[in-house]
Amino acid sequence: MTYDWTLWLVFILIGLATTLPRGSFIILGERASLPEGLQKALRYAPAAALAAIVVPDVVLVGGVVEVLNPKLAAAFAAVLATQVSRNPWLPFIVGMGVLLGLRHFL
């Protein structure tokens, strides 16, 4: 193969690109801190990542938005259950009940 050295170079550069930013926070510690606004914004990163993964699966059916989507109705029911009660199991029970019920009848 004629691309052996370039492949290893790419591996090394990708490794450095992922390791250096992570390691900089460990090595620098308190000497370097992120701005306050960025720290506040990063608090929402896990929720935004989860929403980016879940929402397309809930909203789209075969790549198209459908009004009579059992997953979408179940998600709305689960969100409503979280607003009504503090019980952590209620959204799961209500959401799955709505999902299974609508799948059975539609």
Side-chain angles (χ1 to χ4, degrees), residues 21-60:
R22 295 177 194 177
S24 65
F25 290 105
I26 296 170
I27 293 170
L28 295 176
E30 292 293 324
R31 290 178 278 169
S33 63
L34 296 173
E36 184 74 23
L38 184 58
Q39 287 180 1
K40 286 182 181 180
L42 286 175
R43 291 182 187 147
Y44 298 104
L50 182 61
I53 294 169
V54 172
V55 168
D57 187 49
V58 170
V59 174
L60 300 175

Side-chain angles (χ1 to χ4, degrees), residues 5-21:
W5 66 272
T6 56
L7 185 62
W8 282 105
L9 180 64
V10 168
F11 286 158
I12 291 169
L13 290 176
I14 290 174
L16 289 174
T18 59
T19 305
L20 290 178

Side-chain angles (χ1 to χ4, degrees), residues 34-93:
L34 296 173
E36 184 74 23
L38 184 58
Q39 287 180 1
K40 286 182 181 180
L42 286 175
R43 291 182 187 147
Y44 298 104
L50 182 61
I53 294 169
V54 172
V55 168
D57 187 49
V58 170
V59 174
L60 300 175
V61 175
V64 179
V65 177
E66 284 189 17
V67 178
L68 297 175
N69 181 356
K71 290 183 195 176
L72 188 57
F76 280 128
V79 168
L80 183 63
T82 61
Q83 299 301 315
V84 171
S85 173
R86 291 271 190 206
N87 184 350
W89 290 100
L90 189 62
F92 294 108
I93 295 167

